[in-house]
Amino acid sequence: MKSLIRALWNVYKPFVRAYPQDNNFYQWFNKTFQDTPLFVIDKETFPVVRCKYDGLLYYVDRNLFTVKDFYILFPMPQIKPEDICIDLGANIGVFAMSAAKTGAKVVAVEPVTPDQLKRNLALNGITNVEVIPKFIGDSGPTECTWLGETRTTESVSFRELKDKYGCTVLKSNCEGGEWTIRPEDLEGVRIVAIEFHYNRGYKETDLYDYVVNNYDVHVIDYPTSKVVVGTKL
């Protein structure tokens, strides 16, 4: 045990000794690990950043990592101006805004960060996105938490949304809410991009099998989820 403690101390000793020399933890961390693509942004001085992938502007907040994650996780097929897109789990609007740039109508459902989403829409002058501050499900009011922020919101089902607005493109990253979607709900949906979470809200349904058998899909496997992106066969 003593040798293990000594070995761990030898690993962490340089960092423990170096940290007190810096007043700012983030600056110390960045300097220590020299991660040049990542650095601290003072959002009081630089409140807005532009994304190189889509040219869109985003207010700086802790959800910014979702911008890069989206372009890695959801390599979307081409969206057309006549499409009707439903975005389940819109977060700060990465998919919603990129889809809206094509001229498509977008319905963005977000239970925790709808205010940040609306601010980003206004920042980019995007007006063809309707924001619905609800979560995807079939229950009553529920507490939804993301990155330590909690809101109590009403639920709405994908079927309700589709019946009201129509849908030709579905993007879903709604932390388990996808399991409330029925295979028959996807009738008329030509593009799907769904993250299937097996650690949240999982139910025995035919949804995953239906998608991989009826769409030309690309599947990305993760330890507790699968991302499936494809177009209707």
Side-chain angles (χ1 to χ4, degrees):
M1 179 59 74
K2 288 183 178 179
S3 60
L4 175 60
I5 294 174
R6 187 177 299 110
L8 290 173
W9 169 245
N10 287 334
V11 171
Y12 289 103
K13 180 169 56 177
F15 306 124
V16 173
R17 288 180 173 174
Y19 173 58
Q21 300 173 14
D22 295 86
N23 294 324
N24 186 298
F25 171 79
Y26 299 105
Q27 291 177 1
W28 165 80
F29 187 91
N30 199 65
K31 184 173 70 175
T32 300
F33 293 97
Q34 298 182 1
D35 194 347
T36 52
L38 302 176
F39 58 92
V40 180
I41 298 176
D42 178 359
K43 68 178 183 179
E44 297 299 323
T45 307
F46 304 100
V48 172
V49 293
R50 185 184 299 276
C51 175
K52 76 170 186 177
Y53 297 109
D54 54 27
L56 292 166
L57 298 172
Y58 294 87
Y59 280 105
V60 173
D61 75 11
R62 56 187 173 176
N63 288 282
L64 270 182
F65 74 91
T66 64
V67 179
K68 183 178 180 180
D69 282 359
F70 170 77
Y71 287 101
I72 294 173
L73 292 176
F74 295 98
M76 294 294 295
Q78 186 173 5
I79 295 172
K80 302 175 182 178
E82 60 268 26
D83 275 319
I84 302 171
C85 306
I86 294 183
D87 184 0
L88 309 180
N91 197 257
I92 58 174
V94 189
F95 167 74
M97 294 197 297
S98 62
K101 282 179 63 180
T102 69
K105 166 68 178 177
V106 181
V107 179
V109 184
E110 172 52 49
V112 182
T113 59
D115 296 337
Q116 294 94 313
L117 170 55
K118 290 176 182 177
R119 290 179 71 217
N120 284 330
L121 291 170
L123 180 65
N124 289 278
I126 293 173
T127 58
N128 53 323
V129 175
E130 181 172 343
V131 178
I132 299 178
K134 295 183 178 182
F135 73 96
I136 296 302
D138 50 14
S139 60
T142 299
E143 283 192 350
C144 299
T145 300
W146 174 252
L147 296 183
E149 184 178 351
T150 300
R151 288 194 177 198
T152 300
T153 61
E154 299 283 346
S155 66
V156 63
S157 70
F158 172 65
R159 185 76 225 185
E160 291 176 272
L161 295 167
K162 183 168 177 280
D163 286 346
K164 181 176 181 179
Y165 300 99
C167 180
T168 59
V169 177
L170 169 64
K171 172 260 172 181
S172 173
N173 187 5
C174 53
E175 307 300 325
E178 67 277 2
W179 297 113
T180 63
I181 300 172
R182 300 169 300 180
E184 57 266 31
D185 295 340
L186 296 180
E187 182 180 353
V189 179
R190 71 176 189 90
I191 295 176
V192 294
I194 304 173
E195 182 164 8
F196 291 92
H197 298 82
Y198 290 91
N199 61 334
R200 297 188 183 100
Y202 174 66
K203 299 177 183 178
E204 284 285 348
T205 76
D206 297 326
L207 180 63
Y208 178 81
D209 290 338
Y210 176 84
V211 170
V212 297
N213 289 324
N214 289 274
Y215 289 80
D216 180 15
V217 299
H218 172 62
V219 180
I220 307 174
D221 283 299
Y222 293 95
T224 60
S225 68
K226 293 178 185 287
V227 174
V228 180
V229 179
T231 55
K232 194 70 179 282
L233 292 170

